[in-house]
Amino acid sequence: MPPTVDVQDIELIIENIGGGGGGGKPPARGDGGDDDPKRRDFGRSSPKRYYSGIAVAIISILMFFMALVSAYLVRKGLKSGWHSFQFPSFVWVNTAILIASSVTLELARRRLARSDRRAFRAWWSITTALGLVFLGGQILVWRQLLVQGVYLATNPSSSFFYLFTGAHALHIVAGVAALVFVLFRNFEHANLTQSAAAEVTSYFWHFLDALWVFLAVLLYLGR
């Protein structure tokens, strides 16, 4: 009579083969859910894809704005129909707000690195609030232009101003959404740790801050 094959033994062999044959203790049967520590560790073992993703996003955004800058410089060089206007003073207030938000963001990350989550949430919340204040400030900037009678289609100079500031504001909205996500997301069972999420978000936010400083100077000098 042929030997009897135990079904449990077959399942264990299959699990070992599927896990790469590491030779370690096989996982307990019946688990594999989100609460499985082995699955959580595997999901968090390599956050490189998130860093790669934000790098690709930053490069794409940078290429988009550099294309606009090139068009801006070429059109300004033609001079035909290019008229200057009074530069909105609140642009510099907005610039200070964004720089301050970068400072508070780094303070939040340092508190998180020290496992001081209460201070982290406080500084991160301030950063998020500053992002929202910046968006409100952009509305004031546009209102300052409207008071002057400067609209999107008034002349090429004003068109580029609205285009640059509007496109940047849309990316700030995405940045604020990322800040809110890190602030309120429960990372206990997530594939990404809160520290990694905060770091990835900080890269994006600092990039937007630096981009805004560049655009503000460009638009001021080229008005």
Side-chain angles (χ1 to χ4, degrees):
M1 182 176 179
T4 303
V5 178
D6 191 350
V7 175
Q8 290 186 350
D9 291 339
I10 295 176
E11 292 179 351
L12 290 176
I13 292 173
I14 294 174
E15 289 177 356
N16 284 332
I17 294 175
K25 183 179 179 181
R29 299 177 68 248
D31 56 12
D34 292 338
D35 294 333
D36 183 2
K38 184 175 181 180
R39 287 194 59 183
R40 290 203 306 270
D41 292 342
F42 178 78
R44 292 180 175 180
S45 61
S46 180
K48 291 182 180 180
R49 55 181 175 176
Y50 299 99
Y51 296 114
S52 299
I54 198 63
V56 171
I58 288 175
I59 292 174
S60 300
I61 296 170
L62 185 60
M63 291 177 63
F64 168 74
F65 276 97
M66 289 306 100
L68 287 181
V69 170
S70 298
Y72 173 82
L73 295 176
V74 171
R75 181 61 186 87
K76 185 177 184 300
L78 297 177
K79 295 183 179 180
S80 175
W82 191 275
H83 303 287
S84 62
F85 55 87
Q86 184 179 355
F87 194 75
S89 59
F90 205 83
V91 166
W92 304 120
V93 177
N94 261 1
T95 303
I97 290 172
L98 272 193
I99 293 175
S101 71
S102 281
V103 174
T104 57
L105 183 64
E106 284 306 305
L107 290 174
R109 285 187 56 201
R110 291 184 181 184
R111 296 303 184 274
L112 182 60
R114 298 174 185 173
S115 299
D116 187 354
R117 297 189 177 276
R118 185 173 183 179
F120 161 75
R121 292 182 63 86
W123 284 113
W124 198 270
S125 297
I126 293 174
T127 304
T128 306
L130 288 174
L132 293 173
V133 171
F134 174 85
L135 291 174
Q138 283 299 84
I139 296 177
L140 292 179
V141 168
W142 296 327
R143 285 180 62 88
Q144 286 183 344
L145 288 180
L146 296 178
V147 169
Q148 298 181 44
V150 177
Y151 302 94
L152 176 64
T154 298
N155 62 76
S157 178
S158 64
S159 298
F160 274 106
F161 186 93
Y162 279 104
L163 182 59
F164 276 121
T165 57
H168 184 270
L170 288 177
H171 289 91
I172 286 291
V173 170
V176 170
L179 291 172
V180 172
F181 174 82
V182 174
L183 186 62
F184 294 105
R185 176 73 161 88
N186 182 4
F187 289 91
E188 184 177 354
H189 302 298
N191 291 331
L192 183 67
T193 64
Q194 189 175 37
S195 297
E199 187 173 1
V200 170
T201 302
S202 69
Y203 292 158
F204 184 63
W205 191 257
H206 291 322
F207 164 72
L208 292 179
D209 290 0
L211 178 62
W212 172 254
V213 173
F214 169 77
L215 292 177
V217 173
L218 174 72
L219 292 172
Y220 175 75
L221 296 178
R223 72 190 187 282

